Every structure is written in C-alpha cells, then in structure tokens.
Amino acid sequence: MPGVMGSMEPVERQSLKKLTFKSLKRALDVFAPLHSQFPSPDSESKKMRLSHKISLEYGGIKPTLAQPQPAKQKSSAPSDPLALPAPEDGQRGGAHNALVVAPAAHSRQTEVGPSKSNALISTPSSSESSKFEFEDVVFVALVLESTLGLFSTSALMERIPSRWPRPVWRAPWKNYRVISGHLGWVRSVAFDPSNSWFCTGSADRTIKIWDVASGRLKLTLTGHIEQVRGLAVSQRHTYMFSAGDDKMVKCWDLEQNKVIRSYHGHLSGVYCLALHPTLDVLLTGGRDSVCRVWDIRSKTQIFALSGHENTVCSVFTRPTDPQVVSGSHDSTIKFWDLRHAGKTMTTLTHHKKSVRAMALHPKENMFASASADNIKKFTLPKGEFMHNMLSQQKTIINAMAVNEEGVLATAGDNGSLWFWDWTSGHNFQQAQTIVQPGSLDSEAGIYALSYDLTGSRLVTCEADKTIKMWKEDETATPETHPLNFKPPKDIRRF
C-alpha cells in the first residue's frame, strides 16, 4: 500500500480564480437556456446593484425637505457659504430638496474640502432619509460634484464591454520531433510545394533535404563556401534558390541536384530571399543595404531597390501592389513599386529597432513585422498601422510565420517560441526550446521557422544544430488550458 501511494501523482493546485471560472462555466452549461449565450441581464438585480453603489459612494449625503425658515435664519444665510439653495419646481417636478448646513454640535458630521471654515454637512436621521426617492440621491450627488468637486460618479457609470475582439480558444503547440544532422547553426528553412519534403540551410555550408512525414534525410547539397542564410522553392519550376554569406545566390535544378545558375551582384552577404508568386522574378536582400531584383532565366539584375540605410534582413513579395516589401536594420519597412523602375511607394517608421522578420497573412491583406521593441500589424496595400501585439517578447525576434488559421509564431534569440492569436494579438502560449544534450544553454536561439502548406506542422531551425518539429496538442481542451485574456485598456498607437 505505501508503494501505491508513493507512485500516485500529486494533485495540481489550482488558483481560486481558475476554480471560480470552472464553476461558472459548469453552471452556465447546466442552467443557461441557450449554450454559448449568456442569459439576458436582470433589470431588478441591476437596480439593486446600482443602489448599493450609490449608498457606498454617497452614504454620508442625503437630501432633506426644505423647511420654511423664519426671517431671522434667512438673514443669517450669508454666514453659511456652503448652503445650497433648493432647485426650482420646473427642474425637479415640484420636489424641493436642499442641503442643510448643520451646526457643529451634531454628532455625525463630514468636513467639506480643504478650506479652514467650520462649515459642515450633516446627515439626517433614518426616518427622514426614508422619505426620499432614488433619483433625489443621484441629483444631490451630481450637484455636489458639479459645485464642490468632492465626489466621483465613476460608480454610477454603465460598464461598457470592451470592443477589442476576443480571441478564440486554440490548443497549445508541442514539440514532437527533433532532427539532428547539421554540423552548424541551422539558419534557413523552406517547404516544397507538394508538402512532402523541406530543405534547411546551415552554417556548415550545406543544404539538406528532409522528409516531412518521417523526418529522415533525403539529400545533402554542397556548393556554398559560407553559411546559407536564405532558401526558397519555386512553385512554377523545379528550382530551389539559396543565398548565403559568400555573396552568392544560386539556382538549383532539383531534377539534376546541381547548380545551374548563379546571380552575381551583391557586394556583401545575402541575408534574405523571396520568390515572386506570379512572375519569374527573384528578390534578395543583404548587408549592402540593397534589395536586388533578378530575372530567373537570364540571370540579369532588373532593379536594385536602394533606399535602406542598413542591412536588408527580411523581404516578402505579393502579386499586387506593393509587390515587394522589405525590412531593414535601419528600423524601417519600405514598399516598392516594380512597375515604375523600382521606386519607393511608402516608408513605415513605426519600429524603433531592427526589423528582422516579417510575415504576410495567407488570406487577409495584412502583414506583421517583428522587432526587439514590439510586434506590429499593418494593412495592405496602404500600410496603415493597426495595433501592437498585446505582449512583448523582450528579445531579438529572428523569425516569424502565420498560418491560415491565424496562429502567429515568433522565435527569439533566447530560444523562446511564442504563439499569438492573429486577430486579437493575444499571446496564448509561451514555449521555450530545450537544447540538445552537450550544447550550452546559450545555444537555445531559433534562427528560422516555417509552417508547412497545411499549417498544422511548424519547423524551427536552431542554434544547437537541430531542427525541431511542432504540432498542436490533441489532448488539450479549454478546461485543461483555459483562455486567460484581458482586453487592453489603452492601445499604444505607435
């Protein structure tokens, strides 16, 4: 029996807030007339709640009926500077209410304001206060606030629900496979249009092709003399393109598994690479602060998109204007017009740090950009700023990707992998990668990530020379992983 007790897992302690939400959900499921809909508000309970708030806020102030005062008291009225006259009949429907200034001999008194005068406001007895209506109390409170500025009406304000979109519940992601095979940092990844294999580029100067289903190595390509920083697989041809720190951009024929074209022109390392979805055009950006546009077939440089003041480290393309969007270490994002000699259409200066990663939404006309200060969302084609994500990862973000379901993944230099809801900007999971045995904890950085074509698998390329594959946890439910979302009170518009 002791052995059985020792093998039992300890019961996880849950907070009172979590247990309360569970109980509330069960009660709604059992007693709610319609599932997924809250019951209609009860006017009686609302009135009771409001009267309780009023009694708490204005408990020491009650109106009294204006008594006919003799002439002697009228002559002494200027000696009471805080005495307020009763409202007229037309304003309050014939009810004469006033605030009576009591002498200092009353036992229950409240001092008014920071002034040095001895004027005091008294509270009448319970028999008098029972005569007055609910509206009279509210009116006196408003008079006090407007004339003396003593009390706040925040307790009387109707609570308006937040207009911020509430995120849908999403299952957390878990690591289900670790692939090792590279001899250096894994710096880039790209998926095949058939979704059967993916390729990775590494600091060991090789490109490896892996099977998606089994994770086995299918092919190793050599040809670069420095680390491979960018990869892209064409959807229109049997070509794969690679770029590296050796200033080279190569075109690989996947039927022959060899280099058939090289694109020369970059003056320094090439950091990013993208293929146009409808044209036979290749875009590369690098340390020479220029984004270059190449004709795939003729190997000629069509445009040199110059305008950035520092390294171009992220680029993506789309079929309509702006066809090219680039991000740079100079903390700006530029839209380029390919129809008019590659001129700049717009420059976005919202970020304060280097824009190392961008992600285009596969369905909506929006994109997200990541920097060390914030993750921001913009609309297309105008580039209007929408909002920041609701949390800060507080690290250098090297890569980001979004799938069709609206799950945005961002990877940091410290090994953090955060998952976000695209619509609301809510961070619903904060994962931390684990380095393989024998590696240093400082080698927990993630340099590249990409979803497969279905959006159900995520591949991360890391500094511990491994490739990790992630998927959603099928066993997770809203009860085991509740949605902890608080709508923002104020949104920073920059």
Side-chain angles (χ1 to χ4, degrees):
M1 191 69 181
V4 174
M5 292 297 292
S7 63
M8 291 178 63
E9 295 183 359
V11 179
E12 180 187 358
R13 292 186 178 182
Q14 296 181 342
S15 63
L16 181 61
K17 182 178 180 182
K18 186 175 180 181
L19 293 172
T20 306
F21 279 131
K22 279 188 176 181
S23 175
L24 179 62
K25 184 178 183 304
R26 291 194 189 106
L28 280 175
D29 288 342
V30 173
F31 298 108
L34 292 175
H35 287 283
S36 74
Q37 291 187 10
F38 286 101
S40 58
D42 184 16
S43 58
E44 193 67 28
S45 62
K46 181 179 178 182
K47 185 176 180 181
M48 292 172 61
R49 184 168 66 251
L50 192 61
S51 63
H52 177 67
K53 285 185 178 181
I54 291 173
S55 65
L56 288 178
E57 192 83 13
Y58 309 107
I61 304 158
K62 300 288 183 182
T64 59
L65 288 175
Q67 302 291 339
Q69 297 180 355
K72 292 182 180 179
Q73 292 185 1
K74 289 183 180 178
S75 63
S76 63
S79 64
D80 299 331
L82 293 181
L84 298 179
E88 297 179 1
D89 291 346
Q91 294 177 352
R92 299 299 297 158
H96 293 277
N97 297 332
L99 289 178
V100 178
V101 178
H106 280 279
S107 59
R108 189 178 177 185
Q109 296 166 342
T110 307
E111 188 170 353
V112 177
S115 62
K116 296 181 180 180
S117 64
N118 294 326
L120 300 173
I121 293 179
S122 70
T123 57
S125 62
S126 59
S127 60
E128 291 178 345
S129 62
S130 61
K131 300 177 183 178
F132 307 113
E133 297 180 356
F134 174 77
E135 295 179 355
D136 297 330
V137 181
V138 178
F139 171 71
V140 173
L142 293 175
V143 169
L144 269 178
E145 185 190 9
S146 60
T147 54
L148 304 179
L150 297 179
F151 301 96
S152 170
T153 58
S154 60
L156 301 178
M157 295 174 63
E158 182 71 22
R159 288 189 178 179
I160 302 174
S162 174
R163 294 182 180 178
W164 195 259
R166 183 170 178 83
V168 297
W169 180 86
R170 300 184 187 277
W173 291 64
K174 65 177 182 179
N175 176 223
Y176 73 98
R177 179 180 293 151
V178 179
I179 304 171
S180 59
H182 279 292
L183 302 178
W185 293 351
V186 190
R187 301 301 301 253
S188 54
V189 61
F191 271 87
D192 163 50
S194 67
N195 208 35
S196 60
W197 55 267
F198 67 94
C199 54
T200 55
S202 169
D204 62 6
R205 303 165 297 185
T206 65
I207 301 169
K208 292 183 182 291
I209 295 178
W210 312 85
D211 184 60
V212 172
S214 63
R216 291 175 181 165
L217 178 65
K218 300 180 73 172
L219 185 66
T220 300
L221 301 173
T222 58
H224 282 278
I225 58 175
E226 281 290 343
Q227 57 182 340
V228 183
R229 288 286 197 121
L231 285 172
V233 183
S234 174
Q235 296 182 354
R236 299 154 55 87
H237 310 285
T238 58
Y239 295 157
M240 179 179 69
F241 298 87
S242 62
D245 282 349
D246 51 9
K247 312 177 193 175
M248 292 185 180
V249 180
K250 295 179 181 292
C251 174
W252 304 78
D253 188 342
L254 296 175
E255 291 179 342
Q256 306 176 46
N257 295 335
K258 67 179 184 180
V259 178
I260 58 172
R261 298 185 189 98
S262 293
Y263 305 88
H264 299 283
H266 274 284
L267 306 177
S268 190
V270 188
Y271 281 10
C272 56
L273 179 145
L275 280 169
H276 198 283
T278 56
L279 304 175
D280 288 339
V281 165
L282 173 68
L283 296 110
T284 55
R287 277 180 55 190
D288 53 6
S289 308
V290 177
C291 181
R292 301 182 188 271
V293 185
W294 309 88
D295 185 353
I296 289 177
R297 295 187 178 278
S298 64
K299 301 184 292 185
T300 58
Q301 178 180 301
I302 304 172
F303 298 126
L305 308 178
S306 58
H308 283 293
E309 298 175 358
N310 210 329
T311 302
V312 180
C313 50
S314 55
V315 64
F316 68 84
T317 65
R318 51 197 302 270
T320 57
D321 283 336
Q323 297 186 50
V324 182
V325 180
S326 62
S328 170
H329 282 334
D330 63 6
S331 73
T332 64
I333 300 169
K334 287 184 181 290
F335 294 179
W336 304 93
D337 189 357
L338 288 184
R339 296 182 301 168
H340 299 93
K343 293 181 179 178
T344 304
M345 297 175 67
T346 311
T347 301
L348 306 180
T349 58
H350 296 74
H351 283 286
K352 301 180 181 67
K353 302 287 184 181
S354 303
V355 184
R356 293 174 180 260
M358 295 189 299
L360 176 67
H361 197 281
K363 287 185 176 180
E364 302 175 13
N365 286 325
M366 287 189 287
F367 76 97
S369 59
S371 176
D373 56 354
N374 255 318
I375 301 171
K376 300 178 184 291
K377 273 171 57 178
F378 299 91
T379 62
L380 288 169
K382 294 184 178 180
E384 296 172 344
F385 173 67
M386 295 187 66
H387 62 87
N388 293 326
M389 292 297 173
L390 301 186
S391 306
Q392 286 183 321
Q393 203 160 344
K394 294 184 178 177
T395 184
I396 296 173
I397 298 175
N398 291 319
M400 65 192 310
V402 60
N403 63 6
E404 291 186 354
E405 295 179 357
V407 178
L408 176 70
T410 57
D413 228 19
N414 58 357
S416 59
L417 180 62
W418 286 22
F419 294 91
W420 312 76
D421 178 71
W422 176 270
T423 305
S424 64
H426 170 61
N427 172 227
F428 67 89
Q429 184 186 3
Q430 299 179 5
Q432 181 71 31
T433 186
I434 302 173
V435 297
Q436 67 171 345
S439 300
L440 301 173
D441 289 338
S442 58
E443 291 183 313
I446 303 175
Y447 290 123
L449 58 83
S450 177
Y451 284 102
D452 69 346
L453 268 65
T454 64
S456 61
R457 298 290 185 272
L458 179 68
V459 173
T460 59
C461 304
E462 308 193 3
D464 62 353
K465 308 172 188 175
T466 64
I467 302 156
K468 293 186 173 68
M469 300 185 72
W470 305 72
K471 65 178 180 180
E472 287 186 342
D473 189 359
E474 298 92 347
T475 61
T477 63
E479 283 75 23
T480 59
H481 295 80
L483 181 65
N484 185 17
F485 172 69
K486 293 181 180 179
K489 295 182 180 178
D490 54 340
I491 293 298
R492 294 175 60 184
R493 305 301 301 177
F494 55 88

